[in-house]
Amino acid sequence: MLDAKTRYKLIPYAFLGIPVTIYLIWIIGPMLYSFYLSFTKWDGLTSPEFIGAKNYRMLFQDEVFYISLSNNLEWIILFMTVPIVLGLTLAMVLNKDIPGAKTFKASFFLPMVLSLVVCGLVWSWLYSPHSGLINEVLRRIGLGKLATGWLSNPKVVMESVIAVAIWRQVGYVMVLYLAGLQSVDQNLLDASEVDGANAVQRFFNVIMPQLAPVTVIVIVISIIDSLRAFDLVSVMTRGGPYNQSSVLANFMYIEAFNNYRMGYGAAIAVIIFIISLMFIMFYLTRIAREETNA
Amino acid sequence: MPRQTTIPPAVKMILYLFLVAVTLIWLVPIFIAVITSMRTNADIMSHGFLAMPKTVDLKSYIEAWQRGGLHKYLPNSFIITMPSLVLTLLLSSLGAYALARFKFKGRTFFYFLFVGGTMLPFQILLLPVFKLSDALGIYDTYLSLIAIHTAFQLGFCTFVLRNYMMTVPIQVMESARIDGCTELGIWGKIMLPLTLPAFAAIATLEFTWIFNDYIWPLVLIRTAEKMPVTTGLATLQGQYVQDWTVIISGALLATVPTLIVFIFLQRYFIAGLTLGSSK
Amino acid sequence: MKNKIVVSVLAVLFVLGMAPLFAGGQQEGAAEGGQAADQDVVVYNSYWADPEPKRVEAELMEMFREQNPDAKVIHSTVAHEDFKQAIRAYLTSSAPPDVLTWFAGNRARFFIDKGLIMDISDVWEEAGWNENYAKGFRAMSSVDDKQYFLPGSWYWWAIYYDTRVFDEYNIEIPETWDELMAVCEKLKSNGVTPFTVGTKYRWTAAAWFDYLNMRVNGPEFHINLMLGKESYDDPRVLKVFNEYWGPMIDKGYFVESPASYAWAEAIPFMTNGDAAMYLMGDFIRDSYPEEDLQYLDFFRFPIIDPNVPVGEDAPTDGYFIPKKSQNPEMAKKLLKFFGSKEVQEYVAKELGRLVTNNKVDTSVYNENQMKGREIINKADYVAQFYDRDTTPEMADKGMNGFMEFWQNTDQAEEITDKLEKARQQLFEE
């Protein structure tokens, strides 16, 4: 039998045994299979046919790919910045002892509880050019010129969809920051106040740095969700009109499941993965650095 | 604490009202959803979306429940979500414990593996996992969904739990070991209780994610009887006709469980995050 | 201790949650519990998710159960769009449903050619369908003279219009293109938008392409284009875009921002008098408000070139049996049931659809159905609609092209070039 020391060494592996096995079978395995698929032509029914890098070549010549890419980029930028700014502001405001603070907090978080399908449906109506609330209001206050088909006008469609995602996300970010604010060191804050720092300086030099862990989590989650964004686009526009609101996840789904070009879809998914990987690496290196410093 | 700057009460009042206004506007979409659910489809067709309801009619809720099939779909959602939730939390806490507590070869690699999984675009798994489920003979069973949800959420949960567990001082565990506790014992009697706030926090998130998932049941479930509420609701959308009131009512009904979870676990959620970020 | 309680609650939930897993393996049917597992099970998945057809199907299932008390039918309805994806999973699994609904045309052909569909020539023979079904229907169900598909119901497309508007402005039914343009001008000058349309899901735009192309260039060219044998940048295609479709859009003959509306959401424009006509299939009746139905009538899409054969869109839905069906005997029984005279008559009466079995007494058809039937009978060619006649990939690119054109009517050349590139890639792959 193994001696105590070796047995002790094996313990972590024992703990990891079941989760890792399940993970390998259901996640890693299929993922690798998809990497393989991206080099094939497959309609989902007959056997895949190896075609080398042809899918990728076609992809890089596909204008929809570039449209999706830039849409995803736009999504990431807006989805990161706006909720952070709004969420943090709300958290700062609601962190004080004002009447009904709890109700306010719950109100902003509520959209997060709704499923994306519901959000997409409701907002599709709000955006309706003829009878939707937004255009109605614009016309009533004399800004009728701005009234447009929010989901059919190629110039604003992507922003209109992202707005819904943001509407949903702000409350969530707010809650994260509220929690983060609880752990801001009050002593440090008071000390800086005594030192003569004004509100703005206190905010940027004392509060923000202490909120850094929260900010990092928020950024990571924002990027994950941006790249995965599918439900809203699917429900509201299906990537239309003519692909102007297409995002990579949606593009992949349509190619793989509507057009039965599984190999092609797999290639798109691989690209999504590689992009995600870049952000993960960035995050991980930061963590690694922190851990070696600690 | 003395404040250097004071805001005049009048300005405070205005700012407060502004806050109220912003909040109300924020909630407008939800108000509209609720109002619409109480109208009839014909009403919407003839008077458009925004008119005040001519008839207040809760029939659509009943219809969503019966004809819409929610009486089947909602329980299914639970049958799928609860085991997935419990399994993934349990299994990821095992893995997280190993990654947080021990220094061993492959530690970073496994951590990497799980973190990577969070970012995975799940579309890439759809067909391979379908084929896998079919080969294992669990296609069109709850088990196939539970399996993929458990596996898929392992990444995120292990990632968060491991970070959380690392905030627990090693001395606590060392002293337990010296006292003769096995590692499994330490995991169960010491680490798990300490991790409960994090569990509560992730559980809320995970519950919502798994409950609201739409794509997996589409691929892995064939019998309507077994569909969860997300996919089930979609069957209300016919090829040509969309009975909006029933769809919205059904969607709102489907939201109730996640709403309840949020209301009750809110405390844990916030507390958990607090514990996670402080030292 | 609180923690102990929480942990035990979790444990209980866990166990409770696991229990149904073992129940999940069985197949629940609509039948009561306590049925033995040795019942003759037949699984039927359909995409008739609309409220009316869904109801009728449930009734049909009851009828079947009465006629076959030893059979256990498990009937699932899947949303139309989702069904199109799910069928892939069905056909490749080792235990597919026994009977599936599906579209005739290229879509069915696609699966038949891959050997995934069961040969049901014997059913056609036994049920006498070789005699009872029109040649056209038999042709559409056969590959290499073997039958694989059972056509069930079909409906026609036409220009639907509001009789009140036409009466008010003394408009006569247009039969030629010039007459139609005159009608549009007249309506426009009276403040009525000639056509309403909701193109959010794109296929309504494809309808316009289908009809314009068939009227201008003839159905043979159109079908060859669908099959990938003609080019999208052919001057004949450009003609459709630049001389007919584009001008209509530019002159404001369609409602604004059609891409914001699902097809049914564009109906209110007609019922409240803002618009007068809608190029649509007969199922428009299912969504039309009750009180306005009496003012809804239709006419055939006007002839553009009298020298060109007349093509119409009349999509046909039907059924087939996956090759790997676990219970082919029962499946074939169910198919015979669907194709029988009595079931077809029932469907015709209840849903107002046109059915395929000739033996059906035409007296079950109302005035509208007879009128629609006549339009199709007069046609030289019956097409299945753009996204059923061509491959799914091409349909996707094509419809996007139509949407882009609708927004940019001066871009016909660039758009058709793009489509042609796609066609070459997709059909030569």
Side-chain angles (χ1 to χ4, degrees):
Chain A
M1 265 306 284
L2 304 159
D3 69 340
K5 191 155 183 216
T6 327
R7 248 184 296 155
Y8 185 71
K9 268 208 178 131
L10 290 176
I11 289 184
Y13 298 105
F15 268 91
L16 280 170
I18 305 179
V20 170
T21 313
I22 295 185
Y23 204 66
L24 283 174
I25 299 178
W26 289 92
I27 308 287
I28 304 297
M31 185 177 83
L32 294 174
Y33 187 64
S34 288
F35 276 117
Y36 157 68
L37 274 183
S38 71
F39 293 108
T40 68
K41 177 181 168 196
W42 190 38
D43 57 11
L45 295 170
T46 51
S47 302
E49 175 197 326
F50 189 77
I51 55 170
K54 186 153 174 235
N55 283 331
Y56 290 99
R57 257 179 283 144
M58 284 198 294
L59 196 58
F60 293 134
Q61 291 175 342
D62 193 336
E63 70 163 5
V64 182
F65 174 63
Y66 292 107
I67 297 177
S68 311
L69 211 54
S70 80
N71 279 342
N72 271 111
L73 193 61
E74 190 181 345
W75 194 303
I76 290 180
I77 294 177
L78 289 175
F79 199 63
M80 257 198 324
T81 52
V82 178
I84 287 184
V85 168
L86 287 181
L88 185 53
T89 313
L90 281 172
M92 297 283 298
V93 168
L94 295 178
N95 199 31
K96 321 235 189 277
D97 249 325
I98 54 178
K102 265 225 183 104
T103 321
F104 285 119
K105 291 178 199 170
S107 305
F108 284 102
F109 193 80
L110 201 53
M112 197 67 182
V113 177
L114 299 176
S115 81
L116 282 162
V117 174
V118 173
C119 292
L121 283 175
V122 174
W123 277 86
S124 295
W125 288 342
L126 292 179
Y127 282 138
S128 179
H130 186 72
S131 52
L133 183 64
I134 296 182
N135 282 355
E136 274 292 309
V137 168
L138 283 176
R139 285 185 208 117
R140 297 266 172 99
I141 62 174
L143 286 176
K145 257 197 306 190
L146 291 176
T148 177
W150 299 97
L151 294 178
S152 54
N153 182 343
K155 297 198 199 94
V156 294
V157 62
M158 194 72 254
E159 290 77 21
S160 304
V161 175
I162 298 177
V164 182
I166 291 178
W167 173 73
R168 205 165 165 272
Q169 185 80 339
V170 167
Y172 181 58
V173 174
M174 171 193 77
V175 167
L176 288 179
Y177 272 123
L178 274 171
L181 281 174
Q182 302 303 321
S183 60
V184 165
D185 195 335
Q186 191 61 33
N187 293 326
L188 263 176
L189 211 52
D190 296 334
S192 68
E193 201 170 341
V194 168
D195 280 347
N198 64 30
V200 174
Q201 288 169 320
R202 283 204 305 275
F203 177 72
F204 281 106
N205 297 330
V206 183
I207 299 182
M208 277 302 276
Q210 293 196 42
L211 288 177
V214 180
T215 308
V216 173
I217 292 186
V218 169
I219 291 181
V220 170
I221 292 181
S222 300
I223 296 180
I224 297 178
D225 284 347
S226 304
L227 287 169
R228 279 214 281 236
F230 169 76
D231 299 39
L232 275 183
V233 173
S234 183
V235 168
M236 297 177 85
T237 64
R238 300 213 172 196
Y242 54 96
N243 295 319
Q244 296 308 300
S245 66
S246 169
V247 289
L248 289 171
N250 205 65
F251 178 40
M252 183 256 165
Y253 185 81
I254 290 181
E255 286 295 341
F257 292 97
N258 269 359
N259 300 347
Y260 306 127
R261 298 168 77 194
M262 305 284 177
Y264 197 61
I268 302 173
V270 167
I271 301 279
I272 300 178
F273 178 71
I274 293 179
I275 298 177
S276 319
L277 203 60
M278 291 195 311
F279 290 102
I280 309 178
M281 297 306 282
F282 166 71
Y283 175 64
L284 284 179
T285 41
R286 254 203 77 169
I287 301 257
R289 225 179 294 142
E290 273 176 17
E291 286 190 10
T292 44
N293 284 346
Chain B
M1 311 297 139
R3 298 198 70 82
Q4 309 294 74
T5 47
T6 39
I7 309 175
V11 178
K12 257 201 199 151
M13 181 57 125
I14 297 179
L15 286 175
Y16 189 74
L17 286 176
F18 183 67
L19 182 63
V20 172
V22 168
T23 313
L24 283 177
I25 294 180
W26 203 258
L27 291 178
V28 155
I30 302 183
F31 289 148
I32 299 231
V34 174
I35 294 180
T36 308
S37 70
M38 296 195 284
R39 299 169 66 185
T40 61
N41 209 30
D43 184 17
I44 299 183
M45 268 300 176
S46 29
H47 299 111
F49 182 33
L50 276 182
M52 280 316 283
K54 301 270 170 182
T55 45
V56 173
D57 173 5
L58 295 177
K59 212 178 8 166
S60 58
Y61 280 99
I62 302 179
E63 210 178 319
W65 185 258
Q66 290 177 334
R67 186 171 70 76
L70 250 70
H71 66 283
K72 271 182 299 180
Y73 302 141
L74 263 179
N76 285 342
S77 286
F78 278 99
I79 294 176
I80 294 166
T81 311
M82 298 313 293
S84 310
L85 190 57
V86 172
L87 272 175
T88 201
L89 283 178
L90 220 58
L91 292 174
S92 28
S93 70
L94 282 172
Y97 181 67
L99 291 172
R101 165 107 166 87
F102 301 98
K103 285 188 166 42
F104 57 96
K105 237 199 272 197
R107 181 187 197 206
T108 340
F109 169 71
F110 283 119
Y111 182 57
F112 236 75
L113 204 65
F114 286 114
V115 172
T118 15
M119 307 252 162
L120 211 59
F122 52 80
Q123 284 93 344
I124 204 61
L125 304 172
L126 281 175
L127 263 165
V129 168
F130 159 71
K131 285 216 167 297
L132 181 63
S133 308
D134 193 36
L136 290 176
I138 56 174
Y139 171 64
D140 198 30
T141 64
Y142 298 119
L143 193 51
S144 63
L145 283 173
I146 294 174
I148 184 58
H149 281 310
T150 305
F152 192 71
Q153 302 301 340
L154 272 179
F156 180 74
C157 294
T158 311
F159 163 64
V160 172
L161 284 177
R162 177 267 200 187
N163 287 339
Y164 188 80
M165 286 182 181
M166 285 185 65
T167 65
V168 175
I170 267 224
Q171 292 77 14
V172 174
M173 292 177 284
E174 278 302 323
S175 52
R177 194 165 101 82
I178 292 172
D179 282 346
C181 206
T182 62
E183 285 301 327
L184 199 60
I186 301 179
W187 169 79
K189 292 194 207 137
I190 303 198
M191 190 50 104
L192 277 193
L194 285 176
T195 330
L196 273 177
F199 271 171
I202 308 179
T204 333
L205 263 176
E206 291 291 340
F207 181 85
T208 314
W209 284 349
I210 302 178
F211 198 85
N212 282 339
D213 176 61
Y214 171 64
I215 295 199
W216 285 111
L218 200 62
V219 170
L220 295 175
I221 297 289
R222 184 188 78 201
T223 319
E225 310 276 315
K226 299 193 197 130
M227 282 182 186
V229 83
T230 43
T231 331
L233 265 183
T235 64
L236 290 177
Q237 288 185 316
Q239 171 187 7
Y240 304 117
V241 178
Q242 280 178 310
D243 199 342
W244 285 121
T245 54
V246 178
I247 295 177
I248 289 286
S249 305
L252 288 175
L253 275 179
T255 307
V256 168
T258 38
L259 203 60
I260 294 180
V261 162
F262 168 64
I263 291 175
F264 285 110
L265 289 185
Q266 204 184 82
R267 265 191 305 133
Y268 289 108
F269 185 73
I270 297 181
L273 289 168
T274 314
L275 273 168
S277 46
S278 74
K279 238 4 113 112
Chain C
M1 227 188 43
K2 191 167 85 164
N3 290 331
K4 272 223 176 95
I5 299 177
V6 180
V7 173
S8 8
V9 168
L10 279 178
V12 168
L13 276 176
F14 183 81
V15 171
L16 278 181
M18 296 301 255
L21 279 186
F22 301 100
Q26 291 167 355
Q27 281 177 324
E28 267 117 68
E32 319 71 38
Q35 304 283 343
D38 54 353
Q39 277 218 305
D40 222 347
V41 174
V42 60
V43 180
Y44 166 50
N45 275 39
S46 96
Y47 55 46
W48 293 115
D50 284 293
E52 279 303 299
K54 201 169 170 187
R55 172 185 69 83
V56 170
E57 277 223 311
E59 287 162 16
L60 289 179
M61 292 295 104
E62 275 312 304
M63 279 166 62
F64 186 77
R65 282 188 200 103
E66 274 163 40
Q67 293 179 11
N68 299 279
D70 52 328
K72 185 165 167 186
V73 184
I74 300 178
H75 168 223
S76 301
T77 313
V78 179
H80 203 84
E81 281 306 311
D82 299 335
F83 192 93
K84 292 185 197 162
Q85 267 93 63
I87 192 169
R88 296 247 147 185
Y90 299 156
L91 289 174
T92 48
S93 97
S94 45
D98 300 294
V99 177
L100 290 170
T101 49
W102 198 234
F103 317 112
N106 188 302
R107 297 277 171 143
R109 195 63 205 255
F110 184 76
F111 295 126
I112 297 172
D113 285 342
K114 306 234 178 212
L116 291 164
I117 308 300
M118 190 176 286
D119 183 341
I120 49 171
S121 311
D122 51 349
V123 183
W124 274 74
E125 189 60 46
E126 287 162 19
W129 292 336
N130 288 317
E131 292 80 44
N132 296 346
Y133 278 67
K135 259 193 292 208
F137 287 126
R138 187 164 183 280
M140 118 194 341
S141 320
S142 316
V143 177
D144 292 338
D145 214 28
K146 292 204 215 78
Q147 285 74 49
Y148 292 89
F149 185 80
L150 171 66
S153 60
W154 56 285
Y155 54 89
W156 64 90
W157 275 68
I159 295 187
Y160 283 80
Y161 69 99
D162 189 302
T163 52
R164 290 170 291 194
V165 177
F166 271 45
D167 286 341
E168 191 180 334
Y169 299 111
N170 277 320
I171 299 180
E172 281 192 25
I173 309 288
E175 289 187 11
T176 68
W177 184 252
D178 291 331
E179 284 170 20
L180 180 63
M181 290 298 105
V183 167
C184 291
E185 263 312 306
K186 190 163 189 192
L187 286 167
K188 195 92 188 124
S189 59
N190 281 305
V192 177
T193 312
F195 285 99
T196 179
V197 66
T199 57
K200 186 170 179 186
Y201 292 103
R202 306 179 301 172
W203 47 271
T204 38
W208 278 95
F209 180 75
D210 268 4
Y211 272 97
L212 286 173
N213 199 26
M214 283 199 287
R215 289 285 186 272
V216 172
N217 298 314
E220 193 178 332
F221 174 73
H222 182 72
I223 285 302
N224 282 335
L225 185 65
M226 299 298 104
L227 293 174
K229 298 197 193 135
E230 294 277 3
S231 310
Y232 271 90
D233 58 2
D234 190 301
R236 284 174 282 183
V237 177
L238 273 167
K239 190 172 169 191
V240 169
F241 281 112
N242 288 327
E243 291 179 36
Y244 294 91
W245 207 355
M248 277 186 82
I249 298 174
D250 292 336
K251 283 193 253 189
Y253 288 169
F254 293 99
V255 292
E256 294 216 356
S257 303
S260 307
Y261 308 106
W263 82 273
E265 289 164 359
I267 292 181
F269 290 121
M270 237 167 111
T271 52
N272 61 21
D274 289 334
M277 301 178 276
Y278 205 164
L279 174 61
M280 190 38 72
D282 186 58
F283 51 85
I284 188 177
R285 289 184 186 282
D286 294 340
S287 299
Y288 219 73
E290 277 287 337
E291 62 265 20
D292 298 298
L293 265 175
Q294 52 182 310
Y295 303 114
L296 184 67
D297 201 354
F298 60 94
F299 57 85
R300 181 174 72 164
F301 194 98
I303 304 298
I304 296 182
D305 186 345
N307 298 321
V308 160
V310 177
E312 306 281 350
D313 269 336
T316 307
D317 295 286
Y319 316 86
F320 56 28
I321 302 177
K323 208 175 207 161
K324 292 197 232 166
S325 155
Q326 313 251 285
N327 192 347
E329 230 186 270
M330 252 312 162
K332 290 182 182 176
K333 249 192 183 169
L334 188 57
L335 226 57
K336 281 195 193 147
F337 174 74
F338 282 136
S340 68
K341 174 164 144 37
E342 31 150 22
V343 169
Q344 294 248 312
E345 271 175 5
Y346 188 75
V347 169
K349 243 187 302 187
E350 293 291 320
L351 287 178
R353 298 264 169 81
L354 289 169
V355 291
T356 42
N357 192 329
N358 296 0
K359 286 281 178 203
V360 163
D361 194 342
T362 49
S363 63
V364 304
Y365 291 142
N366 60 33
E367 209 184 297
N368 268 316
Q369 292 170 297
M370 294 301 280
K371 189 166 160 189
R373 212 158 162 259
E374 209 197 310
I375 293 183
I376 302 302
N377 284 340
K378 269 201 288 194
D380 298 303
Y381 187 88
V382 172
Q384 287 297 300
F385 202 83
Y386 188 75
D387 67 347
R388 296 187 190 188
D389 279 324
T390 191
T391 62
E393 313 85 276
M394 192 63 234
D396 179 51
K397 310 277 181 238
M399 291 198 286
N400 280 336
F402 302 149
M403 296 297 292
E404 193 173 352
F405 176 73
W406 205 297
Q407 190 81 21
N408 309 295
T409 50
D410 54 345
Q411 301 258 321
E413 287 229 12
E414 290 88 341
I415 295 175
T416 48
D417 280 343
K418 257 195 288 194
L419 291 180
E420 175 56 20
K421 207 168 124 207
R423 180 198 73 85
Q424 285 173 3
Q425 216 177 53
L426 295 171
F427 280 97
E428 263 112 59
E429 259 189 346

